[in-house]
Amino acid sequence: MKAVVFDQYKSAPSLKEIDRPKPGPGEVLLKVAGAGACHSDVAVFRDFDAEFGPSQLKPSFVLGHENAGWVEELGAGVTGIDEGDAYLVYGPVGCGHCRACSRGQDTYCENAATMPYLAVGLGRDGGMAEYVSVPARNLVPLGDADPTVAAPLADAGLTPYHAIKKSLPVLAGGDTYALVIGLGGLGQVAVQILTALTGATVIAIDTREGAMERARANGAVTVAGGEAQAARIREATGGHGVDAVFDFVGIDPTIALAMSVVALRGRVTVVGIGNGTYAWNFYGVPYEVELTSTYWGTLEELHEVVDLYRAGKITPDVEIFSLDDALEAYRRLEAGELTGRAVVAPHGH
Ligand code: NAD
Ligand code: ZN
């Protein structure tokens, strides 16, 4: 079968012919309906090497950690799953038996350091291929919902959902404001989730006007860039400041902007892996501001994300590519030329 393989540090992946995987014990082989291209993949093949980045992300493996598909074959011991049914894949794969994993929080696996991979598509073969084999416990049923459009929910949906849920306390109480920085695959879904879950005014910014236009269509207000951007954001909050900032870029200037507009007791969540730094100072920010990172989400939360999708409350904007065009999808992601999440549909859509 054809697959997009990360086969060398610091270089674009290759489209290769490889053997179709066989589902191991407890695994299910899926015929891939959709595999999203995430900007984290760009970090994997551009930034990381033997010294920098998680040691499990060494070449080679098939990319694609945002996957959905139809059941093709069951591995030994798997029951209760019907061939042809559509499932979304929870990507993180922990040891499966520590306290965190037993609660569906594989992202917090206590044995992560000794695991040979982090997730489906991150260290073990992912879904940018005709078929992918995944642990049966990682399947979230999609029912009659479109699995190709659903694929980005596995990361571009789940990651902002997890970050937003943890920030809900500061968005409660009325007259609250959220700011989304970076309106790509994750940021656009973040705007939809904030609108679905809170009454907060959602302010959204990006360096691309087209991305801001889509955020406005999803219910956000946007603010122009430039020198006075922080002042304009404050103005949009009536001088109150932003209660919850979500930074999907994570470089020095975006973290600095987030910290300059956050409200008293507000919360700044850095989602983007831009390796930015910030010099904290007691009087440099309002009292009791929290600055935190976030990592993906839990299996339980992915079920909730699927419910929001099936209820029509969130719908990822997607651009569909064939498997033959998958490398072009990554090129356009890196160049900032996409207008929606790039989803590779190896069997058409
Ligand atoms: P993307 O390329 O689809 O979107 C990034 C967006 O940010 C683009 O719209 C771009 O125009 C915008 N942008 C770039 N520089 C900007 C700036 N200075 N100010 C405002 N906007 C700017 O990327 P994505 O797939 O949505 O991923 C976003 C980030 O989240 C990446 O860094 C990715 O690695 C990271 N990520 C983190 C997690 C996690 O668990 N923490 C999970 C998935 C992705
Ligand atoms: Zn574990």
Side-chain angles (χ1 to χ4, degrees), residues 37-41 43 65-66 155-156 159 181-188 205-208 211 214 229 247-251 253-254 270-274 293-297 333-334 336 338 340-341:
C38 178
H39 215 113
S40 300
D41 290 335
H65 56 267
E66 272 185 359
D155 187 2
T159 299
I181 305 174
L183 304 166
L186 275 68
Q188 295 290 350
I205 60 171
D206 198 285
T207 44
R208 298 185 293 156
R214 276 184 296 129
Q229 189 170 39
D247 178 0
F248 292 95
V249 185
I251 56 178
T254 56
V270 179
V271 189
I273 309 175
S293 64
T294 193
Y295 178 52
W296 216 334
L333 173 67
E334 269 194 275
L338 291 168
R341 188 60 145 189

mmCIF file of all heavy atoms in Angstrom, residues 37-41 43 65-66 155-156 159 181-188 205-208 211 214 229 247-251 253-254 270-274 293-297 333-334 336 338 340-341, ligand 1:
data_model
loop_
_atom_site.group_PDB
_atom_site.id
_atom_site.type_symbol
_atom_site.label_atom_id
_atom_site.label_comp_id
_atom_site.label_asym_id
_atom_site.label_seq_id
_atom_site.Cartn_x
_atom_site.Cartn_y
_atom_site.Cartn_z
ATOM 1 N N ALA A 37 -3.426 16.582 8.385
ATOM 2 C CA ALA A 37 -2.020 17.018 8.435
ATOM 3 C C ALA A 37 -1.910 18.101 9.499
ATOM 4 O O ALA A 37 -2.481 19.183 9.355
ATOM 5 C CB ALA A 37 -1.585 17.549 7.078
ATOM 6 N N CYS A 38 -1.184 17.802 10.578
ATOM 7 C CA CYS A 38 -1.058 18.715 11.719
ATOM 8 C C CYS A 38 0.289 19.430 11.661
ATOM 9 O O CYS A 38 1.277 18.848 11.231
ATOM 10 C CB CYS A 38 -1.168 17.915 13.016
ATOM 11 S SG CYS A 38 -0.962 18.900 14.507
ATOM 12 N N HIS A 39 0.301 20.675 12.149
ATOM 13 C CA HIS A 39 1.578 21.404 12.129
ATOM 14 C C HIS A 39 2.642 20.741 13.010
ATOM 15 O O HIS A 39 3.831 20.953 12.812
ATOM 16 C CB HIS A 39 1.378 22.878 12.526
ATOM 17 C CG HIS A 39 2.298 23.794 11.790
ATOM 18 N ND1 HIS A 39 1.882 24.727 10.871
ATOM 19 C CD2 HIS A 39 3.656 23.865 11.802
ATOM 20 C CE1 HIS A 39 2.938 25.338 10.366
ATOM 21 N NE2 HIS A 39 4.025 24.836 10.911
ATOM 22 N N SER A 40 2.217 19.918 13.970
ATOM 23 C CA SER A 40 3.205 19.197 14.783
ATOM 24 C C SER A 40 4.037 18.249 13.917
ATOM 25 O O SER A 40 5.204 17.983 14.239
ATOM 26 C CB SER A 40 2.514 18.395 15.883
ATOM 27 O OG SER A 40 1.786 19.249 16.721
ATOM 28 N N ASP A 41 3.453 17.726 12.844
ATOM 29 C CA ASP A 41 4.223 16.863 11.938
ATOM 30 C C ASP A 41 5.392 17.645 11.328
ATOM 31 O O ASP A 41 6.459 17.083 11.079
ATOM 32 C CB ASP A 41 3.340 16.320 10.808
ATOM 33 C CG ASP A 41 2.326 15.298 11.300
ATOM 34 O OD1 ASP A 41 2.582 14.653 12.340
ATOM 35 O OD2 ASP A 41 1.273 15.138 10.645
ATOM 36 N N ALA A 43 7.033 19.997 12.821
ATOM 37 C CA ALA A 43 8.089 20.000 13.846
ATOM 38 C C ALA A 43 8.845 18.681 13.805
ATOM 39 O O ALA A 43 10.081 18.649 13.907
ATOM 40 C CB ALA A 43 7.489 20.227 15.228
ATOM 41 N N HIS A 65 -1.503 11.526 12.760
ATOM 42 C CA HIS A 65 -1.997 11.206 14.110
ATOM 43 C C HIS A 65 -3.430 11.701 14.329
ATOM 44 O O HIS A 65 -3.907 11.725 15.446
ATOM 45 C CB HIS A 65 -1.024 11.732 15.178
ATOM 46 C CG HIS A 65 -0.734 13.202 15.107
ATOM 47 N ND1 HIS A 65 0.331 13.716 14.411
ATOM 48 C CD2 HIS A 65 -1.365 14.261 15.647
ATOM 49 C CE1 HIS A 65 0.338 15.039 14.527
ATOM 50 N NE2 HIS A 65 -0.695 15.393 15.272
ATOM 51 N N GLU A 66 -4.098 12.096 13.224
ATOM 52 C CA GLU A 66 -5.511 12.530 13.289
ATOM 53 C C GLU A 66 -6.280 11.658 12.325
ATOM 54 O O GLU A 66 -6.389 11.991 11.143
ATOM 55 C CB GLU A 66 -5.620 13.948 12.710
ATOM 56 C CG GLU A 66 -5.405 15.049 13.631
ATOM 57 C CD GLU A 66 -5.666 16.402 12.982
ATOM 58 O OE1 GLU A 66 -6.001 16.507 11.791
ATOM 59 O OE2 GLU A 66 -5.518 17.363 13.704
ATOM 60 N N ASP A 155 -7.240 15.589 16.835
ATOM 61 C CA ASP A 155 -6.222 16.465 17.416
ATOM 62 C C ASP A 155 -6.646 17.932 17.318
ATOM 63 O O ASP A 155 -6.729 18.627 18.329
ATOM 64 C CB ASP A 155 -4.865 16.232 16.737
ATOM 65 C CG ASP A 155 -3.732 17.000 17.412
ATOM 66 O OD1 ASP A 155 -3.977 17.679 18.421
ATOM 67 O OD2 ASP A 155 -2.585 16.923 16.929
ATOM 68 N N ALA A 156 -6.977 18.392 16.097
ATOM 69 C CA ALA A 156 -7.372 19.807 15.937
ATOM 70 C C ALA A 156 -8.658 20.114 16.701
ATOM 71 O O ALA A 156 -8.938 21.265 17.024
ATOM 72 C CB ALA A 156 -7.549 20.140 14.459
ATOM 73 N N THR A 159 -7.404 18.805 21.106
ATOM 74 C CA THR A 159 -6.415 19.633 21.818
ATOM 75 C C THR A 159 -7.016 20.965 22.288
ATOM 76 O O THR A 159 -6.911 21.307 23.473
ATOM 77 C CB THR A 159 -5.159 19.849 20.944
ATOM 78 O OG1 THR A 159 -4.597 18.560 20.678
ATOM 79 C CG2 THR A 159 -4.128 20.727 21.621
ATOM 80 N N ILE A 181 -5.203 33.067 19.407
ATOM 81 C CA ILE A 181 -4.095 33.555 18.563
ATOM 82 C C ILE A 181 -3.680 32.421 17.629
ATOM 83 O O ILE A 181 -3.289 31.350 18.093
ATOM 84 C CB ILE A 181 -2.878 33.984 19.416
ATOM 85 C CG1 ILE A 181 -3.282 35.028 20.472
ATOM 86 C CG2 ILE A 181 -1.759 34.517 18.527
ATOM 87 C CD1 ILE A 181 -2.150 35.393 21.451
ATOM 88 N N GLY A 182 -3.773 32.633 16.303
ATOM 89 C CA GLY A 182 -3.385 31.599 15.331
ATOM 90 C C GLY A 182 -4.590 30.785 14.917
ATOM 91 O O GLY A 182 -5.037 29.885 15.630
ATOM 92 N N LEU A 183 -5.142 31.125 13.747
ATOM 93 C CA LEU A 183 -6.420 30.539 13.317
ATOM 94 C C LEU A 183 -6.226 29.534 12.196
ATOM 95 O O LEU A 183 -6.811 29.645 11.122
ATOM 96 C CB LEU A 183 -7.366 31.672 12.896
ATOM 97 C CG LEU A 183 -7.583 32.718 14.007
ATOM 98 C CD1 LEU A 183 -8.242 33.971 13.438
ATOM 99 C CD2 LEU A 183 -8.412 32.120 15.135
ATOM 100 N N GLY A 184 -5.388 28.537 12.450
ATOM 101 C CA GLY A 184 -5.196 27.447 11.492
ATOM 102 C C GLY A 184 -6.095 26.285 11.864
ATOM 103 O O GLY A 184 -7.212 26.466 12.359
ATOM 104 N N GLY A 185 -5.582 25.046 11.658
ATOM 105 C CA GLY A 185 -6.373 23.854 11.936
ATOM 106 C C GLY A 185 -6.959 23.853 13.335
ATOM 107 O O GLY A 185 -8.169 23.673 13.528
ATOM 108 N N LEU A 186 -6.134 24.062 14.365
ATOM 109 C CA LEU A 186 -6.612 24.008 15.755
ATOM 110 C C LEU A 186 -7.405 25.263 16.131
ATOM 111 O O LEU A 186 -8.450 25.176 16.781
ATOM 112 C CB LEU A 186 -5.443 23.848 16.738
ATOM 113 C CG LEU A 186 -4.939 22.412 17.005
ATOM 114 C CD1 LEU A 186 -4.275 21.801 15.792
ATOM 115 C CD2 LEU A 186 -3.986 22.382 18.180
ATOM 116 N N GLY A 187 -6.879 26.430 15.725
ATOM 117 C CA GLY A 187 -7.478 27.700 16.145
ATOM 118 C C GLY A 187 -8.915 27.872 15.682
ATOM 119 O O GLY A 187 -9.765 28.381 16.425
ATOM 120 N N GLN A 188 -9.202 27.443 14.447
ATOM 121 C CA GLN A 188 -10.585 27.596 13.944
ATOM 122 C C GLN A 188 -11.555 26.741 14.752
ATOM 123 O O GLN A 188 -12.670 27.169 15.048
ATOM 124 C CB GLN A 188 -10.680 27.203 12.457
ATOM 125 C CG GLN A 188 -9.895 28.095 11.507
ATOM 126 C CD GLN A 188 -10.456 29.505 11.349
ATOM 127 O OE1 GLN A 188 -11.553 29.816 11.803
ATOM 128 N NE2 GLN A 188 -9.684 30.375 10.717
ATOM 129 N N ILE A 205 -7.268 36.359 16.326
ATOM 130 C CA ILE A 205 -6.280 37.059 15.493
ATOM 131 C C ILE A 205 -5.375 36.070 14.750
ATOM 132 O O ILE A 205 -5.121 34.955 15.201
ATOM 133 C CB ILE A 205 -5.413 38.044 16.310
ATOM 134 C CG1 ILE A 205 -4.624 37.321 17.420
ATOM 135 C CG2 ILE A 205 -6.264 39.163 16.913
ATOM 136 C CD1 ILE A 205 -3.589 38.216 18.099
ATOM 137 N N ASP A 206 -4.926 36.520 13.592
ATOM 138 C CA ASP A 206 -4.000 35.746 12.767
ATOM 139 C C ASP A 206 -3.280 36.762 11.889
ATOM 140 O O ASP A 206 -3.746 37.895 11.711
ATOM 141 C CB ASP A 206 -4.769 34.726 11.898
ATOM 142 C CG ASP A 206 -3.886 33.614 11.356
ATOM 143 O OD1 ASP A 206 -3.097 33.879 10.401
ATOM 144 O OD2 ASP A 206 -3.960 32.481 11.857
ATOM 145 N N THR A 207 -2.151 36.363 11.331
ATOM 146 C CA THR A 207 -1.451 37.246 10.399
ATOM 147 C C THR A 207 -2.092 37.172 9.010
ATOM 148 O O THR A 207 -1.801 38.000 8.151
ATOM 149 C CB THR A 207 0.037 36.847 10.298
ATOM 150 O OG1 THR A 207 0.096 35.414 10.192
ATOM 151 C CG2 THR A 207 0.803 37.271 11.538
ATOM 152 N N ARG A 208 -2.961 36.181 8.780
ATOM 153 C CA ARG A 208 -3.615 36.028 7.467
ATOM 154 C C ARG A 208 -5.058 36.525 7.549
ATOM 155 O O ARG A 208 -5.843 36.029 8.365
ATOM 156 C CB ARG A 208 -3.611 34.557 7.035
ATOM 157 C CG ARG A 208 -2.208 33.980 6.864
ATOM 158 C CD ARG A 208 -2.267 32.569 6.331
ATOM 159 N NE ARG A 208 -2.855 31.645 7.279
ATOM 160 C CZ ARG A 208 -3.439 30.493 6.941
ATOM 161 N NH1 ARG A 208 -3.519 30.143 5.668
ATOM 162 N NH2 ARG A 208 -3.939 29.694 7.860
ATOM 163 N N ALA A 211 -7.833 33.856 7.176
ATOM 164 C CA ALA A 211 -8.084 33.048 8.376
ATOM 165 C C ALA A 211 -8.994 33.809 9.342
ATOM 166 O O ALA A 211 -9.869 33.228 9.987
ATOM 167 C CB ALA A 211 -6.757 32.694 9.043
ATOM 168 N N ARG A 214 -12.621 33.621 8.200
ATOM 169 C CA ARG A 214 -13.285 32.358 8.570
ATOM 170 C C ARG A 214 -13.653 32.351 10.051
ATOM 171 O O ARG A 214 -14.702 31.840 10.445
ATOM 172 C CB ARG A 214 -12.397 31.149 8.231
ATOM 173 C CG ARG A 214 -12.556 30.721 6.765
ATOM 174 C CD ARG A 214 -11.759 29.480 6.442
ATOM 175 N NE ARG A 214 -10.339 29.753 6.595
ATOM 176 C CZ ARG A 214 -9.489 29.014 7.310
ATOM 177 N NH1 ARG A 214 -9.913 27.946 7.933
ATOM 178 N NH2 ARG A 214 -8.218 29.339 7.397
ATOM 179 N N GLN A 229 -1.981 46.552 18.361
ATOM 180 C CA GLN A 229 -2.873 45.386 18.471
ATOM 181 C C GLN A 229 -3.301 45.106 19.920
ATOM 182 O O GLN A 229 -4.478 44.878 20.190
ATOM 183 C CB GLN A 229 -2.213 44.146 17.873
ATOM 184 C CG GLN A 229 -3.192 42.976 17.762
ATOM 185 C CD GLN A 229 -2.624 41.833 16.958
ATOM 186 O OE1 GLN A 229 -1.434 41.503 17.056
ATOM 187 N NE2 GLN A 229 -3.464 41.211 16.146
ATOM 188 N N ASP A 247 -2.939 30.423 22.856
ATOM 189 C CA ASP A 247 -1.921 30.800 21.869
ATOM 190 C C ASP A 247 -1.530 29.567 21.043
ATOM 191 O O ASP A 247 -0.823 28.681 21.535
ATOM 192 C CB ASP A 247 -0.711 31.383 22.604
ATOM 193 C CG ASP A 247 0.424 31.758 21.665
ATOM 194 O OD1 ASP A 247 0.287 31.568 20.434
ATOM 195 O OD2 ASP A 247 1.463 32.226 22.166
ATOM 196 N N PHE A 248 -2.003 29.517 19.805
ATOM 197 C CA PHE A 248 -1.736 28.371 18.921
ATOM 198 C C PHE A 248 -0.479 28.578 18.083
ATOM 199 O O PHE A 248 -0.267 27.862 17.112
ATOM 200 C CB PHE A 248 -2.957 28.094 18.031
ATOM 201 C CG PHE A 248 -4.136 27.582 18.817
ATOM 202 C CD1 PHE A 248 -5.125 28.454 19.269
ATOM 203 C CD2 PHE A 248 -4.229 26.244 19.157
ATOM 204 C CE1 PHE A 248 -6.199 27.989 20.027
ATOM 205 C CE2 PHE A 248 -5.286 25.764 19.920
ATOM 206 C CZ PHE A 248 -6.271 26.639 20.355
ATOM 207 N N VAL A 249 0.342 29.577 18.469
ATOM 208 C CA VAL A 249 1.599 29.822 17.755
ATOM 209 C C VAL A 249 2.764 29.523 18.730
ATOM 210 O O VAL A 249 3.623 28.703 18.435
ATOM 211 C CB VAL A 249 1.654 31.257 17.196
ATOM 212 C CG1 VAL A 249 2.920 31.453 16.358
ATOM 213 C CG2 VAL A 249 0.406 31.554 16.342
ATOM 214 N N GLY A 250 2.790 30.230 19.853
ATOM 215 C CA GLY A 250 3.755 29.885 20.900
ATOM 216 C C GLY A 250 5.166 30.392 20.688
ATOM 217 O O GLY A 250 6.126 29.790 21.152
ATOM 218 N N ILE A 251 5.287 31.528 19.969
ATOM 219 C CA ILE A 251 6.615 32.137 19.802
ATOM 220 C C ILE A 251 6.716 33.353 20.743
ATOM 221 O O ILE A 251 5.714 33.785 21.310
ATOM 222 C CB ILE A 251 6.862 32.553 18.320
ATOM 223 C CG1 ILE A 251 5.746 33.493 17.822
ATOM 224 C CG2 ILE A 251 6.926 31.313 17.427
ATOM 225 C CD1 ILE A 251 5.933 34.001 16.394
ATOM 226 N N PRO A 253 6.823 36.665 20.449
ATOM 227 C CA PRO A 253 5.870 37.784 20.356
ATOM 228 C C PRO A 253 4.414 37.406 20.691
ATOM 229 O O PRO A 253 3.693 38.236 21.238
ATOM 230 C CB PRO A 253 5.964 38.254 18.894
ATOM 231 C CG PRO A 253 6.971 37.407 18.225
ATOM 232 C CD PRO A 253 7.518 36.421 19.181
ATOM 233 N N THR A 254 4.003 36.169 20.396
ATOM 234 C CA THR A 254 2.598 35.819 20.699
ATOM 235 C C THR A 254 2.417 35.589 22.201
ATOM 236 O O THR A 254 1.391 35.968 22.762
ATOM 237 C CB THR A 254 2.115 34.589 19.890
ATOM 238 O OG1 THR A 254 2.984 33.481 20.137
ATOM 239 C CG2 THR A 254 2.058 34.889 18.398
ATOM 240 N N VAL A 270 -0.539 28.110 26.383
ATOM 241 C CA VAL A 270 0.286 28.023 25.171
ATOM 242 C C VAL A 270 0.113 26.628 24.583
ATOM 243 O O VAL A 270 0.475 25.626 25.207
ATOM 244 C CB VAL A 270 1.773 28.320 25.471
ATOM 245 C CG1 VAL A 270 2.607 28.201 24.191
ATOM 246 C CG2 VAL A 270 1.929 29.714 26.074
ATOM 247 N N VAL A 271 -0.465 26.581 23.389
ATOM 248 C CA VAL A 271 -0.713 25.321 22.693
ATOM 249 C C VAL A 271 0.345 25.113 21.598
ATOM 250 O O VAL A 271 0.806 24.000 21.369
ATOM 251 C CB VAL A 271 -2.117 25.306 22.041
ATOM 252 C CG1 VAL A 271 -2.461 23.918 21.516
ATOM 253 C CG2 VAL A 271 -3.187 25.810 22.996
ATOM 254 N N GLY A 272 0.708 26.189 20.928
ATOM 255 C CA GLY A 272 1.634 26.112 19.799
ATOM 256 C C GLY A 272 3.038 25.753 20.238
ATOM 257 O O GLY A 272 3.522 26.236 21.266
ATOM 258 N N ILE A 273 3.670 24.890 19.447
ATOM 259 C CA ILE A 273 5.012 24.427 19.804
ATOM 260 C C ILE A 273 6.030 25.304 19.066
ATOM 261 O O ILE A 273 6.766 24.857 18.201
ATOM 262 C CB ILE A 273 5.152 22.915 19.497
ATOM 263 C CG1 ILE A 273 3.975 22.159 20.139
ATOM 264 C CG2 ILE A 273 6.476 22.374 20.036
ATOM 265 C CD1 ILE A 273 3.907 20.686 19.823
ATOM 266 N N GLY A 274 6.016 26.610 19.417
ATOM 267 C CA GLY A 274 6.923 27.561 18.768
ATOM 268 C C GLY A 274 8.194 27.797 19.559
ATOM 269 O O GLY A 274 9.034 28.599 19.169
ATOM 270 N N SER A 293 1.178 25.365 29.751
ATOM 271 C CA SER A 293 1.176 24.651 28.473
ATOM 272 C C SER A 293 -0.019 23.703 28.477
ATOM 273 O O SER A 293 -0.779 23.641 29.464
ATOM 274 C CB SER A 293 2.470 23.844 28.310
ATOM 275 O OG SER A 293 2.527 22.835 29.304
ATOM 276 N N THR A 294 -0.207 22.978 27.403
ATOM 277 C CA THR A 294 -1.270 21.978 27.351
ATOM 278 C C THR A 294 -0.836 20.877 26.400
ATOM 279 O O THR A 294 -0.052 21.138 25.487
ATOM 280 C CB THR A 294 -2.600 22.619 26.895
ATOM 281 O OG1 THR A 294 -3.680 21.729 27.134
ATOM 282 C CG2 THR A 294 -2.579 22.985 25.423
ATOM 283 N N TYR A 295 -1.295 19.656 26.648
ATOM 284 C CA TYR A 295 -0.920 18.557 25.750
ATOM 285 C C TYR A 295 -2.133 17.700 25.401
ATOM 286 O O TYR A 295 -2.709 17.038 26.271
ATOM 287 C CB TYR A 295 0.199 17.698 26.371
ATOM 288 C CG TYR A 295 0.603 16.505 25.501
ATOM 289 C CD1 TYR A 295 0.930 16.694 24.159
ATOM 290 C CD2 TYR A 295 0.638 15.227 26.017
ATOM 291 C CE1 TYR A 295 1.280 15.610 23.358
ATOM 292 C CE2 TYR A 295 0.999 14.135 25.221
ATOM 293 C CZ TYR A 295 1.312 14.334 23.893
ATOM 294 O OH TYR A 295 1.646 13.266 23.101
ATOM 295 N N TRP A 296 -2.530 17.762 24.133
ATOM 296 C CA TRP A 296 -3.553 16.917 23.509
ATOM 297 C C TRP A 296 -4.780 16.798 24.421
ATOM 298 O O TRP A 296 -5.267 17.808 24.917
ATOM 299 C CB TRP A 296 -2.941 15.564 23.156
ATOM 300 C CG TRP A 296 -3.453 14.960 21.866
ATOM 301 C CD1 TRP A 296 -4.659 15.175 21.245
ATOM 302 C CD2 TRP A 296 -2.738 14.022 21.036
ATOM 303 N NE1 TRP A 296 -4.721 14.429 20.080
ATOM 304 C CE2 TRP A 296 -3.582 13.722 19.924
ATOM 305 C CE3 TRP A 296 -1.482 13.403 21.113
ATOM 306 C CZ2 TRP A 296 -3.202 12.820 18.907
ATOM 307 C CZ3 TRP A 296 -1.117 12.512 20.105
ATOM 308 C CH2 TRP A 296 -1.963 12.221 19.019
ATOM 309 N N GLY A 297 -5.323 15.598 24.699
ATOM 310 C CA GLY A 297 -6.519 15.483 25.509
ATOM 311 C C GLY A 297 -6.758 14.034 25.873
ATOM 312 O O GLY A 297 -5.920 13.166 25.571
ATOM 313 N N LEU A 333 0.700 23.369 4.002
ATOM 314 C CA LEU A 333 0.585 23.618 5.450
ATOM 315 C C LEU A 333 1.785 24.446 5.925
ATOM 316 O O LEU A 333 1.636 25.453 6.625
ATOM 317 C CB LEU A 333 0.519 22.280 6.203
ATOM 318 C CG LEU A 333 0.560 22.342 7.732
ATOM 319 C CD1 LEU A 333 -0.692 23.008 8.306
ATOM 320 C CD2 LEU A 333 0.697 20.938 8.336
ATOM 321 N N GLU A 334 2.988 24.024 5.509
ATOM 322 C CA GLU A 334 4.200 24.742 5.902
ATOM 323 C C GLU A 334 4.230 26.155 5.352
ATOM 324 O O GLU A 334 4.701 27.080 6.018
ATOM 325 C CB GLU A 334 5.433 24.010 5.337
ATOM 326 C CG GLU A 334 6.009 22.981 6.245
ATOM 327 C CD GLU A 334 7.399 22.556 5.779
ATOM 328 O OE1 GLU A 334 7.465 21.655 4.910
ATOM 329 O OE2 GLU A 334 8.402 23.099 6.278
ATOM 330 N N GLY A 336 1.711 28.034 4.761
ATOM 331 C CA GLY A 336 0.578 28.843 5.227
ATOM 332 C C GLY A 336 -0.418 29.111 4.109
ATOM 333 O O GLY A 336 -1.057 30.159 4.073
ATOM 334 N N LEU A 338 -3.034 26.959 3.257
ATOM 335 C CA LEU A 338 -4.294 26.203 3.366
ATOM 336 C C LEU A 338 -5.427 27.119 3.822
ATOM 337 O O LEU A 338 -5.206 28.070 4.567
ATOM 338 C CB LEU A 338 -4.137 25.069 4.383
ATOM 339 C CG LEU A 338 -3.206 23.920 3.995
ATOM 340 C CD1 LEU A 338 -2.922 23.045 5.216
ATOM 341 C CD2 LEU A 338 -3.826 23.076 2.880
ATOM 342 N N GLY A 340 -8.270 25.450 5.051
ATOM 343 C CA GLY A 340 -8.932 24.597 6.038
ATOM 344 C C GLY A 340 -7.941 23.520 6.428
ATOM 345 O O GLY A 340 -6.848 23.450 5.863
ATOM 346 N N ARG A 341 -8.284 22.663 7.383
ATOM 347 C CA ARG A 341 -7.395 21.569 7.746
ATOM 348 C C ARG A 341 -7.212 20.650 6.534
ATOM 349 O O ARG A 341 -8.207 20.213 5.928
ATOM 350 C CB ARG A 341 -8.031 20.768 8.881
ATOM 351 C CG ARG A 341 -7.136 19.707 9.495
ATOM 352 C CD ARG A 341 -5.910 20.288 10.080
ATOM 353 N NE ARG A 341 -5.435 19.631 11.278
ATOM 354 C CZ ARG A 341 -4.450 20.134 12.017
ATOM 355 N NH1 ARG A 341 -3.837 21.259 11.667
ATOM 356 N NH2 ARG A 341 -4.047 19.516 13.093
HETATM 357 P P1 NAD B 1 -1.578 25.693 11.366
HETATM 358 O O1 NAD B 1 -0.357 25.890 10.554
HETATM 359 O O2 NAD B 1 -2.784 25.094 10.742
HETATM 360 O O3 NAD B 1 -2.035 27.095 12.012
HETATM 361 C C1 NAD B 1 -1.163 28.047 12.533
HETATM 362 C C2 NAD B 1 -1.822 29.422 12.334
HETATM 363 O O4 NAD B 1 -1.082 30.410 13.035
HETATM 364 C C3 NAD B 1 -1.866 29.860 10.868
HETATM 365 O O5 NAD B 1 -3.171 30.281 10.528
HETATM 366 C C4 NAD B 1 -0.869 31.021 10.825
HETATM 367 O O6 NAD B 1 -1.210 32.003 9.849
HETATM 368 C C5 NAD B 1 -0.983 31.567 12.228
HETATM 369 N N1 NAD B 1 0.173 32.344 12.675
HETATM 370 C C6 NAD B 1 1.487 32.091 12.446
HETATM 371 N N2 NAD B 1 2.244 33.046 13.039
HETATM 372 C C7 NAD B 1 1.396 33.895 13.659
HETATM 373 C C8 NAD B 1 1.569 35.067 14.456
HETATM 374 N N3 NAD B 1 2.783 35.538 14.722
HETATM 375 N N4 NAD B 1 0.460 35.688 14.936
HETATM 376 C C9 NAD B 1 -0.775 35.218 14.660
HETATM 377 N N5 NAD B 1 -1.010 34.109 13.914
HETATM 378 C C10 NAD B 1 0.061 33.464 13.424
HETATM 379 O O7 NAD B 1 -1.129 24.835 12.649
HETATM 380 P P2 NAD B 1 -1.998 23.838 13.561
HETATM 381 O O8 NAD B 1 -1.924 22.471 12.990
HETATM 382 O O9 NAD B 1 -3.301 24.469 13.866
HETATM 383 O O10 NAD B 1 -1.104 23.822 14.884
HETATM 384 C C11 NAD B 1 -0.940 24.992 15.675
HETATM 385 C C12 NAD B 1 0.168 24.774 16.689
HETATM 386 O O11 NAD B 1 -0.287 23.856 17.711
HETATM 387 C C13 NAD B 1 1.442 24.144 16.131
HETATM 388 O O12 NAD B 1 2.552 24.751 16.759
HETATM 389 C C14 NAD B 1 1.331 22.694 16.530
HETATM 390 O O13 NAD B 1 2.578 22.059 16.601
HETATM 391 C C15 NAD B 1 0.684 22.855 17.885
HETATM 392 N N6 NAD B 1 0.004 21.673 18.435
HETATM 393 C C16 NAD B 1 0.110 21.485 19.763
HETATM 394 C C17 NAD B 1 -0.550 20.434 20.359
HETATM 395 C C18 NAD B 1 -0.462 20.247 21.844
HETATM 396 O O14 NAD B 1 -0.886 19.203 22.346
HETATM 397 N N7 NAD B 1 0.053 21.213 22.590
HETATM 398 C C19 NAD B 1 -1.315 19.544 19.587
HETATM 399 C C20 NAD B 1 -1.417 19.788 18.206
HETATM 400 C C21 NAD B 1 -0.758 20.866 17.633
#
